[in-house]
Amino acid sequence: MKYNGIMTALVTPLHQDGTVDQKNFAKLIEDQLNNNIHTLLVLGGTGEYAALTMEQRKVAIDVAIKASAGRVPVVVGLLSPGIGDNVELGNYAKQAGADAVMIVTPYYVNPTRQGFIEYYQELDRRVDMPIILYNIPYKTGIHLANDVVKEVVEKVPNVVGMKVCSDNIGDVLELLQTVGDKIAVLCGEDFRAVSSFIAGAPGAITASSNLLPDVWVQIYDFVQEKKYDEAVALHQKFFPLMKSLYKEGNPGPVKAALDMINVPVGSVSVPLVDASTDLQEELKQLLTELEVSVR
């Protein structure tokens, strides 16, 4: 299965006690599907994976699988540094009906090249389902170099894609040349997605599509139709709002904006904090100016 198009890195709606708000999570997913989003990612960084217990993560997976009802692929994030947690949750996701898992680089331990390869081989053997690699060095402190990616793709049969989070568009271009014919190279940066599409990336994983699924699908469609000027113009139109969504720790601002358009998702978990009062006012103004309507 190829992961083309827009994959929304879903927020996880939470009650005040920190448990998963199952009703509003299902509502958020239905909103995404009504706006023709292509794929759903549960339990990424935007989904506050690290703040949830193993049981809460399993609840989030169950809700997503049930709510999506096979209409689009569901990818589950495995963002623990230890292989044991990832194997447990990966197998749970597989049994629940998820289509793939997205595995972050094994941070903190700073593995060698061989360590990277054996890590993904072991996960491949013990979980045995499609894998999307996840490289986000500015958060993990660990970089999965392109030559290592090439070897992982050659030696780990289930690798089908990679989320690339980098300030350098050259990283996406190099990966497209190196492994783009074998896996889906997915841009993980909202601000570099359009240029990545034009360069040949088949899709992107975005957080702002929680709020703007219809906009992102239209941007993607414009590029597929080779209407590059229209894609750039639409992205530029919503750029101020996207920029504001990242002014403070993600997903605080995204959750605040969703609440403003009647998609209630609750607060974030510590050490994250809710969007500041000033930023909330800024978001309200931008939502009004851009006519982002109540769902």
Side-chain angles (χ1 to χ4, degrees):
M1 182 179 293
K2 292 185 178 180
Y3 292 88
N4 298 348
I6 305 300
M7 184 187 304
T8 298
L10 293 167
V11 302
T12 304
L14 299 173
H15 292 297
Q16 286 188 340
D17 63 0
T19 57
V20 177
D21 183 342
Q22 299 183 45
K23 179 180 178 180
N24 282 316
F25 198 13
K27 179 180 178 180
L28 172 65
I29 289 170
E30 195 62 33
D31 177 63
Q32 291 284 307
L33 298 177
N34 287 340
N35 283 282
N36 300 313
I37 211 71
H38 303 109
T39 310
L40 299 172
L41 170 63
V42 187
L43 298 176
T46 302
E48 299 178 75
Y49 176 100
L52 303 179
T53 66
M54 183 62 74
E55 288 308 308
Q56 289 167 337
R57 294 169 190 161
K58 291 176 179 178
V59 169
I61 291 170
D62 289 340
V63 173
I65 298 298
K66 182 179 179 180
S68 60
R71 288 175 284 178
V72 298
V74 174
V75 179
V76 173
L78 304 181
L79 308 190
S80 294
I83 194 168
D85 280 354
N86 289 335
V87 168
E88 178 182 347
L89 195 63
N91 278 307
Y92 187 88
K94 180 180 179 179
Q95 292 166 8
D99 296 278
V101 289
M102 184 185 77
I103 305 173
V104 78
T105 49
Y107 53 92
Y108 187 76
V109 294
N110 197 11
T112 63
R113 179 191 188 99
Q114 188 61 30
F116 273 124
I117 294 165
E118 292 187 14
Y119 178 74
Y120 292 115
Q121 286 178 323
E122 184 71 1
L123 282 167
D124 182 58
R125 184 183 68 80
R126 295 173 66 182
V127 179
D128 190 23
M129 67 183 298
I131 293 170
I132 295 174
L133 306 174
Y134 181 18
N135 193 32
I136 183 165
Y138 56 76
K139 284 196 173 182
T140 63
I142 303 296
H143 177 56
L144 190 60
N146 290 341
D147 61 325
V148 180
V149 173
K150 183 176 185 293
E151 189 168 356
V152 170
V153 170
E154 291 171 350
K155 293 183 176 181
V156 183
N158 274 321
V159 173
V160 297
M162 180 171 178
K163 179 182 180 182
V164 184
C165 291
S166 172
D167 292 331
N168 183 2
I169 186 64
D171 287 338
V172 175
L173 296 176
E174 186 175 345
L175 279 166
L176 284 168
Q177 287 190 335
T178 305
V179 295
D181 61 333
K182 298 179 179 67
I183 67 171
V185 177
L186 306 172
C187 178
E189 302 288 349
D190 296 39
F191 304 123
R192 276 166 281 284
V194 175
S195 56
S196 296
F197 293 156
I198 294 172
I205 302 175
T206 59
S208 59
S209 54
N210 280 278
L211 184 67
L212 304 168
D214 53 338
V215 172
W216 272 109
V217 170
Q218 183 62 75
I219 289 171
Y220 180 78
D221 286 347
F222 276 146
V223 174
Q224 303 315 300
E225 297 164 6
K226 301 189 185 307
K227 297 179 179 179
Y228 302 132
D229 290 345
E230 290 91 334
V232 171
L234 186 56
H235 189 262
Q236 285 293 93
K237 176 182 177 181
F238 285 89
F239 177 80
L241 176 57
M242 293 180 190
K243 185 177 179 181
S244 292
L245 293 174
Y246 290 96
K247 280 190 172 180
E248 296 174 5
N250 180 51
V254 175
K255 281 193 161 184
L258 284 167
D259 282 334
M260 292 172 193
I261 63 166
N262 196 36
V263 183
V265 291
S267 297
V268 294
S269 300
V270 292
L272 295 170
V273 294
D274 293 333
S276 64
T277 301
D278 287 346
L279 182 55
Q280 289 187 46
E281 289 302 316
E282 182 178 316
L283 289 168
K284 285 179 184 177
Q285 182 176 345
L286 287 166
L287 290 169
T288 301
E289 291 174 356
L290 293 166
E291 299 181 336
V292 178
S293 59
V294 171
R295 299 284 201 262

